[in-house]
């Protein structure tokens, strides 16, 4: 990364220092009776939701659906990318990946 692509650091307010992504799983039509749920049971599909964060300049967009738990990482990556989020690899991962 060259220096012209590095954004300027800014003060982070308490509660807004982290970037938050929520994963929501569908729970409808598992129970036999209408408008009821079976506690702690869900389908392996749902939506990924990016929460807004003023400090990071993140505005929420429409939730992105995933059709299987196996799709979750690709949808998560898509949501992060669409919001302009850059992830930095931690030390363990950097040992495995060469630049």
């Amino acid at each position: 990364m060259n220096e012209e692509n590095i954004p300027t650091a800014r003060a982070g307010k308490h509660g807004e220092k982290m970037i938050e992504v929520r994963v929501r799983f569908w729970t409808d039509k598992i129970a036999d009776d209408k408008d009821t749920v079976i506690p702690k049971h869900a389908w392996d599909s749902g939506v990924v939701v990016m929460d807004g964060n003023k400090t990071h300049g993140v505005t929420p967009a429409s939730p992105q659906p995933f059709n299987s738990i196996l799709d979750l990482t690709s949808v998560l990556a898509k949501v992060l990318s669409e919001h302009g989020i850059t992830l930095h690899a931690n030390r363990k991962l950097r040992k495995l990946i060469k630049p």
Side-chain angles (χ1 to χ4, degrees), residues 59-76:
T59 54
S62 298
Q64 293 296 313
F66 60 96
N67 296 314
S68 163
I69 194 94
L70 300 175
D71 297 334
L72 185 54
T73 54
S74 63
V75 172
L76 175 59

Side-chain angles (χ1 to χ4, degrees), residues 27-44:
T27 61
D28 61 327
K29 299 180 183 174
I30 294 176
D32 292 332
D33 297 327
K34 186 178 180 182
D35 296 328
T36 61
V37 297
I38 299 175
K40 299 183 181 180
H41 285 250
W43 296 107
D44 75 329

Side-chain angles (χ1 to χ4, degrees), residues 78-95:
K78 177 182 175 187
V79 168
L80 291 170
S81 176
E82 287 176 349
H83 285 84
I85 307 299
T86 300
L87 297 181
H88 296 257
N90 66 30
R91 190 177 309 137
K92 281 185 176 182
L93 186 58
R94 286 193 305 260
K95 286 180 183 179

